[in-house]
Amino acid sequence: MPANTDRYENAVSRYFEAWNAREPKARTKAVAAAWAVGGGYTDPLADVVGHEQIAGVIAAAHEQFPGFVFRLAGAADGHHDTARFSWELVSEVDGSAPVAGSDVITLAGDGRIRTVLGFLDRVPDGA
């Protein structure tokens, strides 16, 4: 079980590296490290496939919430090729977290993400 736990933790760590990458080149590199080729991302606001489209969704989140970072809320949990975890979008200025969600990921054989199914648990009015 520890090897699988490490696999989930590593995948989730790379996921957050991608979501917190602000510079386009760093984001492109982080997305490629986190997602398998042809990987996808689906949440209530987006349904995209491929590294370029995923990077575009991440860039849009940074434009909408400048000065915020994504952080893991709790621990990742998983079995087989599937893991789940919760996250918050946190202000670097005051520590507030107006957005929170939960994601379920499936992993490819190389440990990169094949799919993300995201759920928004807390969203501010008007967002």
Side-chain angles (χ1 to χ4, degrees):
M1 181 131 162
N4 282 342
T5 300
D6 288 347
R7 184 173 184 228
Y8 308 134
E9 289 174 359
N10 290 337
V12 171
S13 176
R14 288 190 307 269
Y15 177 84
F16 282 102
E17 286 176 29
W19 275 97
N20 287 320
R22 292 186 175 140
E23 298 299 319
K25 285 184 181 182
R27 186 169 35 249
T28 297
K29 183 177 178 180
V31 167
W35 270 268
V37 173
Y41 177 86
T42 302
D43 72 12
L45 306 174
D47 187 9
V48 298
V49 174
H51 294 169
E52 188 175 319
Q53 290 184 359
I54 293 166
V57 169
I58 293 170
H62 284 283
E63 288 174 16
Q64 185 174 3
F65 294 97
F68 283 77
V69 294
F70 289 87
R71 75 171 176 208
L72 183 64
D77 179 31
H79 60 81
H80 298 86
D81 289 332
T82 304
R84 66 179 178 170
F85 55 92
S86 296
W87 53 266
E88 294 180 311
L89 184 59
V90 180
S91 169
E92 294 177 303
V93 173
D94 65 12
S96 64
V99 182
S102 300
D103 291 352
V104 176
I105 61 174
T106 58
L107 301 178
D110 65 1
R112 291 189 295 167
I113 297 168
R114 188 172 44 223
T115 61
V116 176
L117 298 176
F119 297 85
L120 298 174
D121 301 327
R122 180 175 62 240
V123 179
D125 293 336

